[in-house]
Amino acid sequence: MEKLVAEIAAASAPAKDKPCSLQQASNVALLTNKLRDAQKGRGLQGPAARDYDKLTAWLEQNGCSFPDVEITEFTGMGGGLRAKRDIKEEELVVKVPSKVMLHVGTASSRPWHRFLTTDKIASSMPSVALALHVLCEAHSSDSFWEPYLSTLPTEYDLPYFWSMEDVKQLQGCAALAPVLTMRVNLAREYTYLYQALKEHTSSLPFDLKQFTFDDYRWASSVVMSRQNLVPVEADQGGHVQGHALIPLWDMMNHEDGKLTTSFDTESGTTQYRALRAFSRGEQIMMCYGHRSSCDHVCHSGFMLSGSSTDFMLLKLGVGKSDPLFSAKSSLLQALSVACSGDFVLSADVSAPEPPLLAFVRINAMTEDELKKFLQDPSLCGCLGAVDGVVSDSNRKAANSFMMVRCQLLLRCYPTSKEDDEALLASQDLTPHARIAVQLRLQEKTMLQGELERLQQEKDAWEQKK
């Protein structure tokens, strides 16, 4: 076992100045699968069934207020909240007191608290500390949170649980890099903790042999998909922003809409108000925020197609060999726009994001144009606006740059949009491969949408001639 853990540590080590590769992730997956096989039967044994009645009683006993909803299962979505009566938009639905929230501060009376707050990794990475705290509580027969933890899913649809064949469906996608990184990072975290916890076994509610990769993956998935930043009690008194799990509130599934959750400092409760009207018997939904499809997949394990608030990230940068690199960098810096990095391409192509628009325009500028804007900073504010005052030649050069970029990115995908649509219409995909293909198709749809906008822009200029 020790040798296998050491091999995983070596395989998951970050390469200097290189992103995580598909080959590295494949090597790590091969080794972690061997470790999982060797550790079978050693970790947590989940409950035979989720006891929502027990959870409901615990929540009510500890001050949670949810008189108009009930906890139940929804096909294909797991546990959720169902309306017991018609609920109006903005009506208060759920109140959860700080008492039941699970965060690192709640470990203050637990023997593993010292490790969480002094270890160099756990103390600097809140999600790692919280995952370990969750795992320790799940192993503890006297855990205050047992009614909550025992109803959590035992498996998730996060990329942590995908096979490498599923992951390979993301080849060519912007989403591939974050998926590979999160998988390799999980393995590296586990191997680090496996070694670090050897000196702290007396403070743990389990033997080191029971600290399995599967259990850490589960705890990390709980945290990844459920943690929220809320005011929590600080060790020295008062409140600080901290990562916490919020029982009951975290059972609501996502729907695009407005954000209707808040923290009431006076009562110390997280409160949810209905984002729209719900009918009796309907599932109560909550907006998780305006995230990209990639974010939803990586952090929540689901794919939401057709969202107008969706976006993808484009990697762009001014070439360092560009003779105008210095001038372009200075102008970008004056606008607080990165010279190199990720830029948002929105699914709503009618309104290009200002930083992206400013970047492509500045990147396309001639030396004279750069001098003009650098000498008169008051002109710079227009560069991120669709109707910004720039020359026709600059508009055309920027348009051409983006068209070529989108075309190149579309050529990176091993399949066409039509191939993806045919795959999704078939029954030949695993559930996780289906998520990956949906994400791949959504990226292509956004790129093609941007290409259509750019072509329309180009056609409009031609007509003016």
Side-chain angles (χ1 to χ4, degrees):
M1 197 73 70
E2 295 285 340
K3 182 182 177 183
L4 197 48
V5 170
E7 288 176 354
I8 295 171
S12 61
K16 188 177 181 181
D17 300 325
K18 287 184 180 180
C20 177
S21 67
L22 188 60
Q23 185 59 57
Q24 182 185 19
S26 297
N27 293 341
V28 170
L30 185 66
L31 292 168
T32 53
N33 284 338
K34 287 182 181 179
L35 181 64
R36 292 176 60 228
D37 287 340
Q39 293 177 331
K40 274 184 180 174
R42 293 188 180 185
L44 290 168
Q45 303 300 315
R50 294 173 191 157
D51 191 342
Y52 290 139
D53 289 339
K54 182 179 179 181
L55 174 61
T56 298
W58 176 77
L59 291 166
E60 290 175 340
Q61 289 165 10
N62 287 287
C64 294
S65 175
F66 52 108
D68 303 314
V69 297
E70 59 188 352
I71 302 171
T72 190
E73 287 280 326
F74 290 90
T75 303
M77 301 185 79
L81 302 184
R82 181 169 59 198
K84 292 159 65 174
R85 63 166 178 83
D86 291 349
I87 294 174
K88 297 177 181 177
E89 184 177 347
E90 293 290 343
E91 194 171 342
L92 184 60
V93 179
V94 167
K95 287 175 65 176
V96 181
S98 297
K99 178 182 179 181
V100 301
M101 297 180 199
L102 180 57
H103 53 87
V104 172
T106 60
S108 59
S109 62
R110 294 301 220 175
W112 55 84
H113 181 255
R114 184 172 180 275
F115 179 83
L116 299 182
T117 54
T118 61
D119 176 77
K120 64 179 182 180
I121 296 298
S123 62
S124 61
M125 297 179 67
S127 59
V128 171
L130 185 53
L132 190 57
H133 182 29
V134 166
L135 191 54
C136 287
E137 289 292 348
H139 270 283
S140 301
S141 58
D142 65 342
S143 176
F144 170 69
W145 289 276
E146 188 277 332
Y148 165 64
L149 295 174
S150 63
T151 58
L152 294 176
T154 54
E155 290 192 353
Y156 288 80
D157 290 321
L158 299 179
Y160 290 149
F161 286 81
W162 295 11
S163 71
M164 279 307 299
E165 288 306 306
D166 297 331
V167 172
K168 287 176 182 176
Q169 294 285 359
L170 292 176
Q171 289 184 81
C173 294
L176 180 62
V179 166
L180 296 179
T181 299
M182 67 184 288
R183 287 171 62 92
V184 171
N185 283 351
L186 180 75
R188 185 160 63 247
E189 289 166 14
Y190 173 79
T191 58
Y192 170 82
L193 291 172
Y194 184 90
Q195 298 297 338
L197 289 172
K198 286 180 179 179
E199 304 299 320
H200 299 266
T201 52
S202 62
S203 66
L204 300 174
F206 52 82
D207 186 272
L208 192 61
K209 290 181 180 179
Q210 294 176 290
F211 179 55
T212 66
F213 180 80
D214 274 356
D215 282 355
Y216 183 67
R217 179 176 67 169
W218 169 78
S220 294
S221 298
V222 168
V223 170
M224 177 73 81
S225 62
R226 290 173 126 79
Q227 70 178 345
N228 275 272
L229 203 59
V230 296
V232 299
E233 291 183 8
D235 291 340
Q236 296 79 24
H239 288 80
V240 295
Q241 290 290 103
H243 294 83
L245 303 183
I246 309 173
L248 180 67
W249 179 87
D250 65 8
M251 296 193 74
M252 285 181 277
N253 289 307
H254 173 78
E255 178 180 291
D256 267 356
K258 57 187 177 183
L259 298 173
T260 55
T261 291
S262 62
F263 185 86
D264 182 63
T265 53
E266 188 174 332
S267 63
T269 58
T270 293
Q271 302 183 358
Y272 166 77
R273 293 181 180 275
L275 61 81
R276 60 173 172 81
F278 292 94
S279 301
R280 180 182 178 183
E282 190 177 0
Q283 183 178 182
I284 301 295
M285 308 297 280
M286 172 174 64
C287 179
Y288 292 178
H290 298 147
R291 301 175 179 174
S292 69
S293 290
C294 180
D295 284 340
H296 280 308
V297 169
C298 290
H299 296 103
S300 301
F302 67 82
M303 175 66 201
L304 190 70
S305 299
S307 170
S308 62
T309 61
D310 197 5
F311 63 89
M312 65 180 289
L313 297 178
L314 300 182
K315 286 192 177 295
L316 301 173
V318 179
K320 291 190 176 179
S321 60
D322 187 331
L324 299 177
F325 177 82
S326 179
K328 290 177 180 179
S329 297
S330 297
L331 187 51
L332 287 165
Q333 188 175 7
L335 289 172
S336 299
V337 175
C339 185
S340 175
D342 292 326
F343 290 83
V344 170
L345 177 66
S346 175
D348 180 9
V349 295
S350 64
E353 295 294 319
L356 174 60
L357 199 52
F359 175 87
V360 296
R361 285 173 172 172
I362 291 171
N363 192 49
M365 283 184 180
T366 63
E367 185 173 6
D368 287 342
E369 287 173 323
L370 288 165
K371 285 180 180 178
K372 172 186 172 183
F373 282 94
L374 285 169
Q375 289 170 359
D376 188 354
S378 66
L379 299 173
C380 295
C382 71
L383 292 175
V386 174
D387 57 354
V389 183
V390 293
S391 67
D392 286 345
S393 60
N394 179 262
R395 286 181 188 276
K396 292 175 182 178
N399 177 285
S400 178
F401 171 84
M402 276 300 293
M403 286 192 81
V404 170
R405 187 65 181 174
C406 290
Q407 289 164 347
L408 287 173
L409 288 171
L410 283 167
R411 288 177 195 151
C412 290
Y413 297 100
T415 59
S416 67
K417 190 176 179 181
E418 292 71 26
D419 292 335
D420 292 346
E421 290 169 343
L423 267 175
L424 292 172
S426 74
Q427 301 300 316
D428 300 333
L429 296 170
T430 66
H432 294 155
R434 182 168 293 276
I435 293 174
V437 174
Q438 288 174 330
L439 181 52
R440 188 172 74 199
L441 178 58
Q442 182 66 1
E443 284 192 9
K444 292 174 187 174
T445 300
M446 285 188 275
L447 288 168
Q448 289 185 345
E450 176 66 2
L451 268 177
E452 289 170 9
R453 182 192 72 81
L454 293 164
Q455 186 62 52
Q456 289 170 4
E457 192 176 67
K458 186 177 179 181
D459 291 344
W461 296 330
E462 294 298 325
Q463 288 175 3
K464 283 182 180 180
K465 286 183 179 180

